Amino acid sequence: MKKLTPECLSIIPPRPQISHKGTFGRVVLIGGNQQYGGAIMMAAEACVRSGAGLVTVITDPVNHVALHARLPEVMVVNWYDLTSVQEIFETADVCLIGPGLGLEAHGQTLLSFVLNHQQAEQQLIIDGSGITLFAASSFTLPFSSQTIFTPHQMEWQRLSGLAIAQQSEEANKHAQHQLQATVVLKSHRTEIYSCGPTVQNPLGNPAMATGGMGDTLAGMIAGFLAQFSDKGAIQAAVYLHSYIGDLLAKERYVVLPTEISAALPYWMKKFSNS
Amino acid sequence: MKKLTPECLSIIPPRPQISHKGTFGRVVLIGGNQQYGGAIMMAAEACVRSGAGLVTVITDPVNHVALHARLPEVMVVNWYDLTSVQEIFETADVCLIGPGLGLEAHGQTLLSFVLNHQQAEQQLIIDGSGITLFAASSFTLPFSSQTIFTPHQMEWQRLSGLAIAQQSEEANKHAQHQLQATVVLKSHRTEIYSCGPTVQNPLGNPAMATGGMGDTLAGMIAGFLAQFSDKGAIQAAVYLHSYIGDLLAKERYVVLPTEISAALPYWMKKFSNS
Amino acid sequence: MKKLTPECLSIIPPRPQISHKGTFGRVVLIGGNQQYGGAIMMAAEACVRSGAGLVTVITDPVNHVALHARLPEVMVVNWYDLTSVQEIFETADVCLIGPGLGLEAHGQTLLSFVLNHQQAEQQLIIDGSGITLFAASSFTLPFSSQTIFTPHQMEWQRLSGLAIAQQSEEANKHAQHQLQATVVLKSHRTEIYSCGPTVQNPLGNPAMATGGMGDTLAGMIAGFLAQFSDKGAIQAAVYLHSYIGDLLAKERYVVLPTEISAALPYWMKKFSNS
Amino acid sequence: MKKLTPECLSIIPPRPQISHKGTFGRVVLIGGNQQYGGAIMMAAEACVRSGAGLVTVITDPVNHVALHARLPEVMVVNWYDLTSVQEIFETADVCLIGPGLGLEAHGQTLLSFVLNHQQAEQQLIIDGSGITLFAASSFTLPFSSQTIFTPHQMEWQRLSGLAIAQQSEEANKHAQHQLQATVVLKSHRTEIYSCGPTVQNPLGNPAMATGGMGDTLAGMIAGFLAQFSDKGAIQAAVYLHSYIGDLLAKERYVVLPTEISAALPYWMKKFSNS
């Protein structure tokens, strides 16, 4: 399997001189129930610090205050206010649904809403409980080629029907072919399955095995897709997430997800050669 | 068009030895609805860190806790409590209205209140949704020479009637002449239209094109006007905002607005020669 | 008038090896209404970072979350729950009342409670709106020799009846003699009036003239009194507050109060020779 | 009495390369009433930063927002929702109950729940008010050999019946033998009583005598037990807590508990030789 190399980061361009915040994309993040609100906060931090122009978080209102206390740079929408959800969703270039979404009925309502309203030009990332809900439903993807799933191995089992022990490259590739969506299969060596060749991330380390690390990766993928136009955005997000994690782990027994987000602007600058 | 130079920062004086917090101005900031609360938080951070003596934030009560968790240095007023709004407004040297204000009826109520109660010696900055509300209304400015609008190009279109493509220096100057207020027209090269010569900010960079950057500028202008007596305050705020942004962008792919605020006290000291 | 010198900091002892958190005092801070909650937060930060062993903040419940988000080291009590207020107050070595207390009826209730329940061994600091309320009432001090007022000049006018222009050393001394309490009269050169000789603080600078600076000083005085047994504690708090402020102002146009608190543990260690 | 040495930290292994967050344990923390919410926040920070894989905090809902504003890495559960409490508890490898739990009826309900539901493979730490409640009740420990009490001397008096003056090594050892649980008896020289030899921590300093220090230690013990399999985990947590405290105290008059947590990942890495 082809391994990602630092060259995959060359898709991070210098920013165009004549630009405004709209140039760098509108992202909507949906997730965070009463129990898992931290997940959508961590996704939002990653998304903002990866450079997305405008980020709105649609979440349980119980999470608004903590989110704003950490990150005034985002806008917030009460996820029970479906009129506002629709207004915001329509303006999005990229939508991430799933971090801390939970498995309750309202999570299903929101996932159903997103799948029913996705437009031809909108990219969609389905993460965390969003994957579990999708797997348990009869939903179909309206635009599979613009959809990315980011499961860990157990979520991939639910989505693909492949038990963890059966998740060989070939079987995964086959399952991806059925879905047509891109699959970022997270493990200690994350693999990306898509219409193109399968690639493996050679980076990452066990100090990153802590709650919230996947939410942070999902937020980065959303931010990268909002700014960088092709599939290379996903590879770059996956690679840089682990690249920073490996650097931080040189001096840390555990790397907190928010520490990766904090370091993002510095490393994106380095690799953009701008 | 004349370009701003570092000399414009020379209006930042050493602080007078015999002084107290009242010496450095009372500022009232009005904005932040349930969705856009972060905007008024970012304006407040910029205002406090620019050195304003006493800062009160009038906002939706949903924002009070997140604001105080970030910035205990401000006072807060529930924006539905119009008695308190009036009491505080009357004591203000400078009022900024607009960051995250929103377009709902209550935003209009507050803008109307401000325009009806502004006193001859109070300076007024109208930003963000405040501009959109003003443009859509039949409001008139009670003290246009003490009023500053800080539109981006689309807000300027609403306010001036000039489509973005028509926003030439001459046309903008003409529109400013109708308004009589000062106009800080934000773009990748911000321009300031006033009764004096038009000036352009030569600084700024695309890493600054992210949500909240304008709120931060508006908060800085409020803080500078509270302390420094003449029109030079606006030019200095615009220039220093980008000056810091350019410095931070040397090592960041995206510059968060709150990072500019954090750096303000250091750079104001440097340029004050105090 | 005698000026404070660095020697006044020699009352900061090395901490005794055999000790526990109770050794360093129990402090109760009362203040923070809905508008001025930040004031009691800043007092609490100063108190905790000055080394007080156990700090409880009695405040409007609207302030609990922001306070805990900044400072989990404190305990909180709802200031409307007078049973709990009494329980906590009885255990206190030092009580500070006033920062952000406000002038409403409940502030008066709490001040009245404190003056009615103060015990012979408890020290009491009355600051901010607590001074204004006291001045407007017919309250008397139960233990004036253990009471410290920390007015700025306008609050001192209310308390002493002396207009600012009349606040000469002699007049102030006379007014202090009537009160019998210690008076920390804050200005750009703070003076301390007590039964002993009057002393003046030669330090301080205009970068410190910003909202919250007095709340921070009040919190420091409370923390110092909880640990250090004599009147020297007040002098040391006043001096160190400005000493740190002067150091920080070398590189800042404005010094935020919370920045002084953050530096406290470092400078207390330096001066303790421990 | 045997003294702990740096060698006790050798039980911190390099992390296994092939691992995921579940590898590093599921921890449930129960505590934090309306008054003492900060205690459970500090325990949670210590637990997350010690490297536990997944941490859920069961607390009064009033504490959820402040906790998430500081630490989005944790999940939260409303402690009145006993169905959710049970679901989460069943998945835990380690449970800590007590920091800021309070002495009210609901604290007793939760402690009773835990003692009734503890499973054979779950480790249990009882701290703070949890100890006081246990001592005042007729509860018995279902799995004493997997239970750790972390009393300070007054709590140990309540638990053992030994007045502080009577707490000799021999008497403590005898009381521990009755309980069969491990006892971490906190003082300026903390001692650990268990089935094995009694050990004393030679480290620690009076700058650590401040509110929350014990909550932080309890959170570290929980995090260490979740990752490191034997009794050495407790010794290592006790030793490292003081080791970091001693280092920080070289430049601080008071060491805040959260500063110890912040330094944990760095020092665990150093001692893991990984």
Side-chain angles (χ1 to χ4, degrees):
Chain A
M1 194 182 303
K2 194 184 148 209
K3 288 197 165 61
L4 289 175
T5 66
E7 280 68 47
C8 76
L9 300 178
S10 65
I11 63 113
I12 304 176
R15 290 192 147 193
Q17 279 302 313
I18 299 185
S19 55
H20 57 85
K21 56 195 174 187
T23 310
F24 304 111
R26 287 170 167 77
V27 183
V28 165
L29 309 175
I30 306 177
N33 66 5
Q34 298 210 7
Q35 185 168 346
Y36 304 125
I40 202 70
M41 293 174 206
M42 290 186 279
E45 286 187 39
C47 189
V48 165
R49 289 181 185 272
S50 71
L54 285 163
V55 179
T56 302
V57 180
I58 297 175
T59 184
D60 190 295
V62 82
N63 298 315
H64 289 192
V65 172
L67 176 58
H68 261 155
R70 296 185 65 84
L71 197 68
E73 288 84 358
V74 297
M75 294 161 282
V76 294
V77 166
N78 176 347
W79 76 358
Y80 294 113
D81 172 3
L82 293 181
T83 306
S84 294
V85 170
Q86 177 154 1
E87 273 174 28
I88 293 293
F89 183 78
E90 283 172 356
T91 68
D93 300 307
V94 178
C95 174
L96 161 63
I97 185 166
L101 183 67
L103 301 176
E104 297 84 15
H106 193 64
Q108 192 135 8
T109 299
L110 289 166
L111 180 59
S112 169
F113 170 89
V114 165
L115 293 172
N116 285 327
H117 289 78
Q118 188 182 0
Q119 299 153 44
E121 70 282 12
Q122 289 179 317
Q123 304 210 63
L124 175 62
I125 304 148
I126 305 180
D127 179 63
S129 15
I131 298 170
T132 303
L133 285 171
F134 183 87
S137 77
S138 56
F139 293 142
T140 55
L141 297 177
F143 301 98
S144 53
S145 67
Q146 290 153 239
T147 303
I148 300 101
F149 287 99
T150 53
H152 54 53
Q153 291 165 305
M154 180 56 71
E155 289 162 347
W156 181 231
Q157 174 177 320
R158 292 177 198 131
L159 183 59
S160 67
L162 296 166
I164 292 179
Q166 300 172 314
Q167 295 175 4
S168 65
E169 181 181 354
E170 193 178 9
N172 293 337
K173 183 77 195 157
H174 183 74
Q176 183 276 328
H177 190 72
Q178 302 295 109
L179 277 169
Q180 289 293 311
T182 298
V183 175
V184 177
L185 177 53
K186 297 180 291 191
S187 72
H188 79 289
R189 288 290 169 260
T190 293
E191 296 166 350
I192 307 176
Y193 294 88
S194 67
C195 302
T198 301
V199 294
Q200 190 186 52
N201 178 20
L203 306 183
N205 66 81
M208 297 172 71
T210 192
M213 201 49 87
D215 306 310
T216 293
L217 174 59
M220 280 181 69
I221 293 174
F224 277 44
L225 282 172
Q227 299 173 77
F228 313 136
S229 54
D230 66 14
K231 291 283 178 191
I234 300 170
Q235 296 186 3
V238 167
Y239 188 86
L240 188 57
H241 178 257
S242 289
Y243 181 93
I244 295 173
D246 285 356
L247 283 172
L248 295 178
K250 288 187 198 299
E251 298 217 320
R252 285 166 178 84
Y253 194 71
V254 61
V255 173
L256 295 202
T258 49
E259 295 176 312
I260 290 182
S261 295
L264 266 175
Y266 177 81
W267 290 104
M268 290 180 74
K269 178 69 175 181
K270 282 282 183 221
F271 285 107
S272 73
N273 293 318
S274 66
Chain B
M1 194 183 302
K2 193 185 149 209
K3 289 197 164 61
L4 290 174
T5 65
E7 281 68 47
C8 75
L9 300 178
S10 65
I11 63 112
I12 303 175
R15 291 192 147 193
Q17 279 302 313
I18 298 185
S19 55
H20 56 85
K21 55 196 176 187
T23 310
F24 304 111
R26 287 171 168 76
V27 182
V28 165
L29 309 175
I30 306 177
N33 66 5
Q34 298 211 7
Q35 185 167 345
Y36 304 124
I40 202 70
M41 293 174 207
M42 290 186 279
E45 287 187 39
C47 189
V48 166
R49 289 181 185 271
S50 71
L54 285 162
V55 179
T56 302
V57 180
I58 296 175
T59 184
D60 190 295
V62 81
N63 298 315
H64 289 192
V65 172
L67 176 58
H68 261 155
R70 296 185 65 83
L71 197 68
E73 288 84 358
V74 297
M75 294 160 282
V76 294
V77 166
N78 175 348
W79 76 359
Y80 293 113
D81 171 4
L82 293 180
T83 307
S84 294
V85 170
Q86 177 153 3
E87 273 174 28
I88 293 294
F89 183 79
E90 283 172 357
T91 68
D93 301 306
V94 178
C95 174
L96 162 63
I97 185 167
L101 183 67
L103 302 176
E104 297 83 17
H106 193 66
Q108 193 134 7
T109 300
L110 290 165
L111 180 59
S112 168
F113 170 88
V114 165
L115 293 172
N116 286 327
H117 289 77
Q118 188 183 0
Q119 299 153 44
E121 70 282 12
Q122 288 179 318
Q123 304 211 62
L124 175 62
I125 304 149
I126 305 179
D127 179 62
S129 15
I131 297 171
T132 302
L133 286 172
F134 183 88
S137 77
S138 56
F139 294 141
T140 54
L141 297 176
F143 300 100
S144 52
S145 68
Q146 289 154 238
T147 304
I148 300 101
F149 288 99
T150 52
H152 55 53
Q153 292 165 305
M154 179 56 69
E155 289 163 346
W156 182 230
Q157 175 177 320
R158 292 179 198 131
L159 183 60
S160 68
L162 296 167
I164 292 179
Q166 298 173 315
Q167 295 175 3
S168 66
E169 180 181 354
E170 193 178 9
N172 292 338
K173 183 77 194 155
H174 184 76
Q176 183 276 329
H177 189 72
Q178 301 296 110
L179 277 169
Q180 290 293 311
T182 298
V183 175
V184 177
L185 177 53
K186 297 180 291 191
S187 72
H188 79 289
R189 288 290 169 259
T190 292
E191 296 168 349
I192 306 176
Y193 293 89
S194 67
C195 302
T198 302
V199 294
Q200 190 186 51
N201 178 19
L203 305 184
N205 67 80
M208 297 172 72
T210 193
M213 201 48 88
D215 307 309
T216 293
L217 175 59
M220 279 181 68
I221 292 174
F224 277 44
L225 283 171
Q227 298 173 79
F228 314 135
S229 55
D230 66 14
K231 291 283 177 190
I234 300 169
Q235 296 185 5
V238 166
Y239 189 85
L240 188 57
H241 178 257
S242 290
Y243 181 92
I244 295 173
D246 285 357
L247 283 172
L248 295 178
K250 288 187 198 299
E251 298 217 319
R252 284 167 179 83
Y253 194 71
V254 60
V255 173
L256 295 202
T258 49
E259 294 176 311
I260 290 182
S261 296
L264 266 174
Y266 178 83
W267 289 105
M268 290 180 73
K269 178 70 176 181
K270 282 282 183 221
F271 284 108
S272 73
N273 294 318
S274 66
Chain C
M1 194 182 302
K2 192 186 150 210
K3 289 197 164 59
L4 290 173
T5 65
E7 281 68 48
C8 76
L9 300 178
S10 65
I11 63 111
I12 304 176
R15 290 191 147 193
Q17 279 303 313
I18 299 185
S19 55
H20 57 85
K21 56 195 176 188
T23 310
F24 304 110
R26 287 172 168 75
V27 182
V28 165
L29 309 175
I30 306 176
N33 67 5
Q34 299 211 7
Q35 185 168 344
Y36 303 125
I40 202 70
M41 294 175 207
M42 291 186 280
E45 287 187 38
C47 189
V48 166
R49 289 181 185 272
S50 72
L54 284 163
V55 180
T56 301
V57 180
I58 297 176
T59 184
D60 190 295
V62 82
N63 299 315
H64 289 191
V65 172
L67 177 58
H68 261 155
R70 296 185 65 83
L71 197 68
E73 287 84 359
V74 297
M75 293 160 284
V76 295
V77 166
N78 176 347
W79 75 359
Y80 293 112
D81 171 3
L82 293 179
T83 306
S84 295
V85 169
Q86 177 153 2
E87 272 175 28
I88 294 295
F89 182 79
E90 283 172 356
T91 68
D93 301 306
V94 178
C95 174
L96 161 63
I97 185 167
L101 183 68
L103 302 175
E104 297 84 17
H106 193 65
Q108 193 134 7
T109 300
L110 290 166
L111 179 59
S112 169
F113 171 89
V114 164
L115 293 171
N116 285 327
H117 289 78
Q118 188 182 0
Q119 298 153 45
E121 70 281 11
Q122 288 180 317
Q123 305 211 62
L124 174 63
I125 304 149
I126 305 180
D127 179 63
S129 15
I131 298 170
T132 302
L133 286 172
F134 183 88
S137 76
S138 57
F139 294 141
T140 53
L141 296 177
F143 300 99
S144 52
S145 68
Q146 290 154 236
T147 303
I148 300 102
F149 287 98
T150 52
H152 56 52
Q153 291 164 306
M154 178 57 68
E155 288 162 346
W156 182 231
Q157 175 177 320
R158 293 179 198 130
L159 183 59
S160 67
L162 296 167
I164 292 180
Q166 300 173 315
Q167 295 175 3
S168 66
E169 181 180 354
E170 192 179 10
N172 292 338
K173 182 78 195 155
H174 183 75
Q176 184 276 329
H177 190 72
Q178 302 295 111
L179 276 169
Q180 289 293 311
T182 298
V183 176
V184 177
L185 177 53
K186 297 179 292 190
S187 72
H188 78 290
R189 288 290 169 260
T190 292
E191 297 167 350
I192 306 176
Y193 294 88
S194 66
C195 302
T198 303
V199 294
Q200 190 186 52
N201 179 19
L203 306 183
N205 68 80
M208 296 172 72
T210 194
M213 201 50 88
D215 307 310
T216 293
L217 175 59
M220 280 180 68
I221 293 174
F224 278 44
L225 282 172
Q227 297 173 78
F228 314 135
S229 55
D230 67 14
K231 292 283 178 189
I234 300 169
Q235 296 186 4
V238 166
Y239 189 84
L240 188 57
H241 178 258
S242 290
Y243 181 92
I244 296 174
D246 285 357
L247 283 172
L248 296 178
K250 288 188 198 298
E251 297 217 319
R252 285 167 179 83
Y253 194 72
V254 61
V255 173
L256 294 202
T258 49
E259 295 176 312
I260 290 182
S261 296
L264 267 174
Y266 178 82
W267 289 105
M268 290 180 73
K269 178 70 175 180
K270 282 281 183 220
F271 285 108
S272 73
N273 293 318
S274 66
Chain D
M1 194 182 303
K2 193 186 148 210
K3 287 198 166 60
L4 289 175
T5 65
E7 281 68 47
C8 75
L9 299 178
S10 65
I11 63 111
I12 305 177
R15 289 192 148 194
Q17 279 303 314
I18 298 185
S19 55
H20 56 87
K21 55 195 176 188
T23 310
F24 304 111
R26 286 171 169 76
V27 182
V28 165
L29 309 174
I30 305 177
N33 67 4
Q34 298 211 7
Q35 185 168 344
Y36 304 125
I40 202 69
M41 293 174 207
M42 291 186 280
E45 287 188 39
C47 189
V48 166
R49 289 181 185 272
S50 71
L54 284 162
V55 179
T56 301
V57 180
I58 296 176
T59 184
D60 190 296
V62 82
N63 298 316
H64 288 191
V65 171
L67 176 58
H68 261 155
R70 296 185 65 84
L71 197 68
E73 288 83 359
V74 296
M75 294 160 284
V76 294
V77 166
N78 176 346
W79 75 359
Y80 293 112
D81 171 4
L82 293 180
T83 306
S84 294
V85 169
Q86 177 153 2
E87 273 174 29
I88 293 295
F89 183 78
E90 284 172 356
T91 69
D93 300 307
V94 178
C95 173
L96 161 63
I97 185 166
L101 182 68
L103 301 176
E104 297 84 16
H106 194 65
Q108 193 135 6
T109 300
L110 289 167
L111 179 58
S112 168
F113 170 88
V114 164
L115 293 172
N116 285 327
H117 289 78
Q118 188 183 0
Q119 299 152 43
E121 70 282 11
Q122 287 180 317
Q123 305 210 62
L124 175 63
I125 304 149
I126 305 180
D127 180 63
S129 14
I131 297 170
T132 302
L133 286 172
F134 183 87
S137 76
S138 57
F139 294 141
T140 54
L141 297 177
F143 300 98
S144 53
S145 68
Q146 289 153 236
T147 303
I148 300 103
F149 288 99
T150 53
H152 55 52
Q153 292 165 305
M154 179 56 70
E155 289 162 347
W156 181 231
Q157 175 177 319
R158 293 179 198 131
L159 183 60
S160 67
L162 296 167
I164 292 180
Q166 300 172 315
Q167 295 175 3
S168 65
E169 180 180 354
E170 193 178 10
N172 292 337
K173 183 77 194 155
H174 183 75
Q176 185 275 329
H177 190 72
Q178 303 293 110
L179 276 169
Q180 289 293 312
T182 298
V183 175
V184 177
L185 177 53
K186 297 180 291 190
S187 73
H188 79 290
R189 289 290 169 258
T190 293
E191 296 167 349
I192 306 176
Y193 293 88
S194 66
C195 302
T198 302
V199 294
Q200 190 186 53
N201 179 19
L203 307 184
N205 66 81
M208 297 172 71
T210 193
M213 201 50 88
D215 307 310
T216 292
L217 175 59
M220 280 181 66
I221 293 174
F224 277 45
L225 282 172
Q227 298 173 78
F228 314 135
S229 54
D230 66 13
K231 291 285 179 190
I234 300 169
Q235 296 186 4
V238 167
Y239 189 85
L240 188 57
H241 178 257
S242 289
Y243 181 92
I244 296 173
D246 285 357
L247 283 172
L248 296 178
K250 288 187 198 299
E251 298 217 319
R252 285 166 178 83
Y253 194 71
V254 61
V255 173
L256 295 201
T258 50
E259 295 176 312
I260 290 182
S261 296
L264 266 175
Y266 177 82
W267 289 105
M268 290 180 74
K269 178 71 176 180
K270 282 282 184 219
F271 284 108
S272 73
N273 293 319
S274 66

